Amino acid sequence: MADMLIETPAWQALARHHAAVVDLHLRDLFAADGTRVERLTFEAAGIGADLSKHRVTAETVALLLALAAERRVTERRDAMFRGDHVNTTEDRPALHIALRMPKGRSLVVDGRDVVREVHEVLDRMAAFAEQVRSGEWRGHTGRPVRAVVNVGIGGSDLGPAMAYEALRAFSDRGLAFRFVSNVDGADLLEALRDLDPEETLTIVSSKTFTTLETMTNAASIRAWLLDGLGGDEAAIAKHVVAVSTNLEAVAEFGIDPANAFGFWDWVGGRYSMDSAIGLSTMIAVGPDRFADLLAGFHAVDRHFAEAPPEENLPLLMGLLGVWYRDFFGAQTHAVLPYDQYLARFPAYLQQLVMESNGKRVTLDGGPVEAGTAPVVWGEPGTNGQHSFHQLLHQGTVLVPCDIVAFASPVEALGTHHDLLLANALAQAQALAFGRTADELRRAGVPERLVPHKEMPGNRPTTFLLLARLSPFALGSLVALYEHAVFTEGAVWGIDSFDQWGVELGKELAVKLAPVLAGEAPAEPLDDSSAALVARIGRLRTEG
């Protein structure tokens, strides 16, 4: 990776090609090629992907694949699947793919069969989940669990919260699920407001059992439980379990170490929803459906590992991400799920993309010459059509979009789903082809309104179409994006598995919290922070 990316032959060839095709319109590309849709439609683990509405030609795709070959993307992929230490700054593997390998497979890394260890934890999770779901698990006063509160932050919250919302239709409706992550007390207070401590199970998810936000919330929920359960410390073991590897701290908290479900340092938080971090998901949908979720992940893992580059959907999606970010200068990427159950999917992808690839240095510590991760955002359709789609269609910035849709709904209600799908298809069509001034004039639009109603089109979309939302489908979608993100990081030559950018703010917050409580700062504050602390003090006194 020592070569400067932008000076490599494949990058330079793409730069020349971009200059030649940048003004081509999708209308013309479709008119000139009757095989375009067939050639640019791909399949992976039940995901049908229409890439025909991208601003690419056959030559573009060939040049992007040449870039992937030059940047040794497949070699880096194979190293990840082998368990090599591809997370170089932390000197460890990135083995989320092992979390969903079937029982009976083997992957020995650093002398340990990680698949066997994964399934030992999965089996313990399944036994516990069945106890809770059946009512066999009883709280301190003998009542069954009616509510599960997941306490975590980052990947320990975003994954389980997204998965629960996505799979709510498959969940046990007799159980309520709440997700608490923000250290803002309002988050916890609202989550607990209508719950009964005697019927509440809390899952505290923190690998080290020291994460500031998580343990602050855990301490408060512990106090809430004790207050509602008569103050008996023994009650905690029946109402709190842990996802952690720090068994000593777990025991000190009052949790039975037998109810601590571990995971490994080779699992990054944003890649952990299919590990023990998914315990709340397993309780919600049951072990069998959780196994279906893992099967969806694994199916795309196999596709990414085995499909030839020209048919490899995650690889192609990642390369398209590089194409728009670095050659068109697109700074954002919209994810538009046309399914209300996927309302939290864009937020989940924000962490996956921006924490993985929001980097400014390469693996060897040198500067990245190209732009890296875009800002990811989005909302479910059709809501977004009545807010930000105006910018997508007629704004002055290019925003590549992913539209995710399902041929059939989880539960049908009249003609709702047909109308939803019609909107998804219409948005992709309008973004690609727009509406010309001549078309507007032929439709009788007054001349003074023509410039206002003209839609330039030529806005690229990936249309992901699946049969129906299910645990398997959700797993396949998440894995698809995981490997697309990996592809982009490999092209840019960065470490997609560390996240040092989150550390400094944490360190400073620990120093500032005592100051807000009235202590003198351990070291001088900058003028702005000092002024803000003083103003907080005045407002508290006046209020």
Side-chain angles (χ1 to χ4, degrees):
M1 295 294 179
D3 294 339
M4 292 184 64
L5 173 61
I6 62 174
E7 294 179 359
T8 60
W11 192 275
Q12 288 293 308
L14 274 165
R16 291 190 296 271
H17 175 71
H18 174 261
V21 302
V22 65
D23 293 326
L24 292 179
H25 200 286
L26 283 167
R27 297 188 204 105
D28 301 319
L29 292 174
F30 272 82
D33 183 3
T35 65
R36 181 177 180 84
V37 173
E38 180 181 357
R39 186 165 45 80
L40 291 173
T41 297
F42 301 89
E43 181 87 18
I47 304 170
D50 179 2
L51 306 185
S52 66
K53 295 186 179 74
H54 279 286
R55 293 170 66 172
V56 297
T57 65
E59 183 182 2
T60 313
V61 175
L63 290 171
L64 286 169
L65 290 171
L67 175 67
E70 186 177 79
R71 302 299 288 174
R72 301 174 60 205
V73 173
T74 56
E75 287 91 336
R76 186 160 170 78
R77 172 203 65 195
D78 294 344
M80 178 180 72
F81 275 74
R82 281 195 307 269
D84 294 1
H85 288 210
V86 294
N87 181 349
T88 57
T89 70
E90 297 178 291
D91 191 25
R92 59 196 187 200
L95 275 176
H96 44 287
I97 55 100
L99 296 172
R100 51 266 195 153
M101 291 179 71
K103 183 178 286 191
R105 296 283 182 88
S106 177
L107 179 59
V108 177
V109 177
D110 297 335
R112 304 174 69 174
D113 187 344
V114 295
V115 179
R116 180 182 58 78
E117 293 180 359
V118 163
H119 280 277
E120 288 174 356
V121 174
L122 285 172
D123 289 344
R124 290 182 57 233
M125 290 168 59
F128 179 76
E130 288 289 16
Q131 283 185 301
V132 175
R133 287 169 59 84
S134 69
E136 179 185 348
W137 181 273
R138 298 279 168 162
H140 184 62
T141 61
R143 288 159 66 176
V145 171
R146 301 294 183 199
V148 177
V149 179
N150 187 87
V151 180
I153 198 164
S156 299
D157 169 77
L158 284 165
M162 181 276 291
Y164 173 67
E165 291 298 329
L167 302 178
R168 183 187 286 260
F170 300 89
S171 70
D172 183 340
R173 299 293 188 160
L175 292 170
F177 288 83
R178 306 287 168 80
F179 298 87
V180 177
S181 58
N182 200 335
V183 77
D184 184 342
D187 196 19
L188 182 59
L189 288 170
E190 290 299 329
L192 300 180
R193 193 169 298 278
D194 59 346
L195 299 186
D196 184 340
E198 294 186 65
E199 298 179 340
T200 299
L201 174 72
T202 299
I203 302 170
V204 180
S205 297
S206 172
K207 186 184 298 185
T208 62
F209 229 63
T210 59
T211 308
L212 177 63
E213 298 93 337
T214 299
M215 297 318 299
T216 299
N217 282 323
S220 293
I221 202 169
R222 185 181 191 276
W224 174 80
L225 286 166
L226 288 174
D227 184 59
L229 294 166
D232 187 349
E233 294 280 341
I236 296 302
K238 301 301 293 182
H239 290 269
V240 186
V241 300
V243 177
S244 179
T245 54
N246 187 347
L247 296 184
E248 182 178 351
V250 165
E252 289 176 1
F253 192 88
I255 300 169
D256 185 345
N259 296 323
F261 303 89
F263 57 118
W264 303 268
D265 63 3
W266 44 256
V267 182
R270 57 193 176 276
Y271 296 92
S272 68
M273 64 173 278
D274 46 346
S275 71
I277 292 295
L279 180 60
S280 63
T281 310
M282 185 183 281
I283 294 172
V285 303
D288 289 345
R289 285 178 172 143
F290 193 84
D292 291 341
L293 176 76
L294 299 182
F297 275 101
H298 183 66
V300 172
D301 292 343
R302 298 319 311 157
H303 172 85
F304 184 51
E306 298 169 0
E310 64 275 9
E311 299 173 10
N312 197 306
L313 182 55
L315 177 70
L316 292 168
M317 284 180 60
L319 292 172
L320 286 170
V322 173
W323 175 238
Y324 292 114
R325 179 67 187 91
D326 290 319
F327 295 93
F328 286 85
Q331 295 190 7
T332 80
H333 186 107
V335 179
L336 313 173
Y338 275 73
D339 193 294
Q340 187 61 33
Y341 286 119
L342 289 183
R344 295 285 291 164
F345 194 55
Y348 176 81
L349 293 181
Q350 285 174 348
Q351 186 195 25
L352 177 63
V353 173
M354 293 193 281
E355 195 168 86
S356 295
N357 287 344
K359 312 290 171 62
R360 59 190 297 273
V361 297
T362 61
L363 291 164
D364 60 10
V368 178
E369 289 84 23
T372 56
V375 174
V376 174
W377 57 286
E379 283 288 327
T382 57
N383 294 1
Q385 294 174 204
H386 295 269
S387 57
F388 56 79
H389 279 230
Q390 170 62 43
L391 179 145
L392 299 180
H393 288 287
Q394 291 185 308
T396 57
V397 294
L398 180 71
V399 182
C401 299
D402 294 351
I403 294 175
V404 184
F406 300 90
S408 300
V410 175
E411 295 180 295
L413 178 61
T415 61
H416 283 247
H417 197 69
D418 282 351
L419 184 57
L420 181 71
L421 277 179
N423 275 275
L425 294 166
Q427 289 299 306
Q429 182 180 350
L431 286 165
F433 306 119
R435 177 166 289 176
T436 68
D438 287 342
E439 288 170 339
L440 290 165
R441 292 185 184 104
R442 287 196 295 269
V445 173
E447 189 63 32
R448 66 181 181 84
L449 292 180
V450 167
H452 299 281
K453 292 194 169 189
E454 184 179 3
M455 302 272 187
N458 220 22
R459 311 295 171 103
T461 62
T462 293
F463 201 109
L464 300 177
L465 181 62
L466 297 86
R468 179 183 276 106
L469 179 58
S470 66
F472 183 96
L474 180 65
S476 67
L477 279 171
V478 174
L480 174 66
Y481 280 94
E482 286 178 348
H483 297 317
V485 166
F486 173 88
T487 296
E488 293 172 347
V491 169
W492 290 320
I494 60 179
D495 187 340
S496 296
F497 301 109
D498 62 15
Q499 56 280 330
W500 299 107
V502 306
E503 299 299 325
L504 178 58
K506 290 182 182 179
E507 295 171 12
L508 295 176
V510 169
K511 295 177 181 178
L512 284 165
V515 177
L516 290 170
E519 296 182 17
E523 54 190 55
L525 300 178
D526 66 89
D527 290 347
S528 175
S529 296
L532 289 167
V533 168
R535 180 169 173 78
I536 290 168
R538 290 195 304 273
L539 290 170
R540 286 176 171 176
T541 301
E542 295 166 1

